[in-house]
Amino acid sequence: MARQSMRAHELGAFLRSRRTLLAPDEVGLPGEGVRRTSGLRREELARLAGVSTGYYVRLEQGRAPHPSASVLGALARALRLSHDEREHLFALTDQLRPEPEPRKLADGTRRLLELLAPPTAAYVISGHSDVLAWNDTASALFGHLIDGPVRPNNVRYVFTDPQARQLFVDWEDIAADSVAHLRAATGHRPDDAELTELVTELGELSPEFRRLWNTRELRHKVDGRKELHHPLVGRITLDYVVVAAPKTPGQRLVAYSAVPGSDSHTALVRLRRTRQHREPTWS
């Protein structure tokens, strides 16, 4: 599929997914009558956005690949899109041109990773969800994610490694978050061959990935809490923060820590002692 056609197809699918999630009463429309599908009808959304129904139908069908910024803005308002969803919508039309996906970890980001005080577990992840670098505690905490002959990928780990289901207590939430992050990346790079290959691979390997991917959810969590059940130290409660790496678009540093003096902090200290730093076996 040509680049323009891919973008138009994904634009239509994204609009359709958001339209079907918006209830009539949320936008002041009556909900009477039989509706074959959930959400707004095409003609209702077109009227709210101030465009013709025929033009909106062509957008959903991928036959109007060059909507203006004013039309996109009107659709975003009519659909009640979040900031991330609005940015995704504009990116799908190539009106937000992304910088190339960086292939190398920036020196400053590596130094930041090295400066984090033990036993904080931290790693750097790319826009493709590849894990580019990590510290000792992260290596011990997420052993199967990092160990192996190929470059580790967070989404592949979550959906294909049995250890991930055992490690993450709230696996369903972790899975949804990982897919939502990856979906946001494809909005900026829908014609990225490596990203497309990853999505295809995971779709073939995991029905759960396919289901979540088709919801077209977008998410950019910057902090939170995770419950883990580690085979060596048992239950751990960790707070995490996600920091965008400067001057390296798409890359972000993820750091996990625990309250000093807590059982979880003690567990992290124990885990770090089990793992000495090693260089990756993949290239």
Side-chain angles (χ1 to χ4, degrees):
M1 187 181 292
R3 175 181 180 178
Q4 180 175 308
S5 177
M6 289 173 62
R7 286 185 178 273
H9 171 78
E10 183 53 38
L11 172 65
F14 181 66
L15 288 171
R16 184 166 55 255
S17 72
R18 299 305 96 182
R19 174 176 61 80
T20 57
L21 291 176
L22 193 60
D25 59 6
E26 292 183 74
V27 294
L29 294 175
E32 307 117 4
V34 177
R35 291 178 179 262
R36 290 179 298 174
T37 58
S38 60
L40 297 181
R41 298 186 176 104
R42 291 188 179 94
E43 59 269 22
E44 291 172 335
L45 180 58
R47 186 165 63 250
L48 288 170
V51 300
S52 72
T53 300
Y55 180 69
Y56 180 74
V57 169
R58 291 198 299 276
L59 279 173
E60 278 204 7
Q61 293 175 341
R63 296 189 293 114
H66 300 296
S68 66
S70 61
V71 166
L72 293 175
L75 287 170
R77 289 188 293 274
L79 288 166
R80 309 288 180 89
L81 298 186
S82 67
H83 171 78
D84 288 340
E85 289 171 331
R86 186 181 187 280
E87 185 177 82
H88 186 73
L89 180 67
F90 274 77
L92 287 172
T93 65
D94 214 12
Q95 297 194 43
L96 290 177
R97 295 184 178 274
E99 297 181 45
E101 170 76 8
R103 301 298 181 186
K104 184 180 178 182
L105 188 67
D107 291 339
T109 305
R110 186 178 295 279
R111 283 195 297 272
L112 179 60
L113 178 65
E114 293 170 350
L115 286 170
L116 286 171
T120 299
Y123 57 80
V124 179
I125 195 169
S126 75
H128 291 184
S129 294
D130 289 335
V131 182
L132 305 177
W134 57 86
N135 64 14
D136 290 349
T137 314
S139 180
L141 187 62
F142 303 108
H144 281 197
L145 168 60
I146 291 169
D147 290 331
V150 298
R151 182 183 296 281
N153 181 276
N154 185 58
V155 187
R156 184 184 290 113
Y157 169 69
V158 168
F159 284 95
T160 66
D161 194 319
Q163 190 204 55
R165 291 179 184 269
Q166 299 169 5
L167 181 66
F168 297 118
V169 175
D170 299 317
W171 182 88
E172 291 81 4
D173 291 339
I174 301 296
D177 286 345
S178 67
V179 174
H181 276 292
L182 195 64
R183 167 63 75 177
T186 63
H188 290 274
R189 300 179 174 85
D191 50 350
D192 186 310
E194 289 186 16
L195 206 51
T196 300
E197 184 179 349
L198 175 63
V199 171
T200 300
E201 172 197 345
L202 294 176
E204 292 173 348
L205 292 174
S206 170
E208 289 158 308
F209 176 87
R210 287 199 305 274
R211 177 182 61 80
L212 289 167
W213 184 255
N214 289 331
T215 66
R216 289 179 164 78
E217 289 285 342
L218 301 172
R219 210 167 301 162
H220 291 279
K221 286 190 174 181
V222 296
D223 57 25
R225 176 166 290 183
K226 290 183 181 179
E227 298 284 341
L228 282 69
H229 191 278
H230 197 278
L232 295 181
V233 294
R235 189 74 167 252
I236 315 175
T237 300
L238 299 176
D239 296 313
Y240 71 88
V241 294
V242 183
V243 180
K247 299 182 181 180
T248 47
Q251 289 184 12
R252 53 202 187 275
L253 184 145
V254 186
Y256 293 85
S257 63
V259 177
S262 67
D263 290 343
S264 294
H265 187 270
T266 301
L268 283 180
V269 172
R270 288 174 54 199
L271 277 174
R272 183 173 180 271
R273 290 171 180 164
T274 68
R275 182 65 59 98
Q276 295 299 317
H277 185 75
R278 66 173 184 81
E279 292 301 318
T281 56
W282 41 265
S283 58

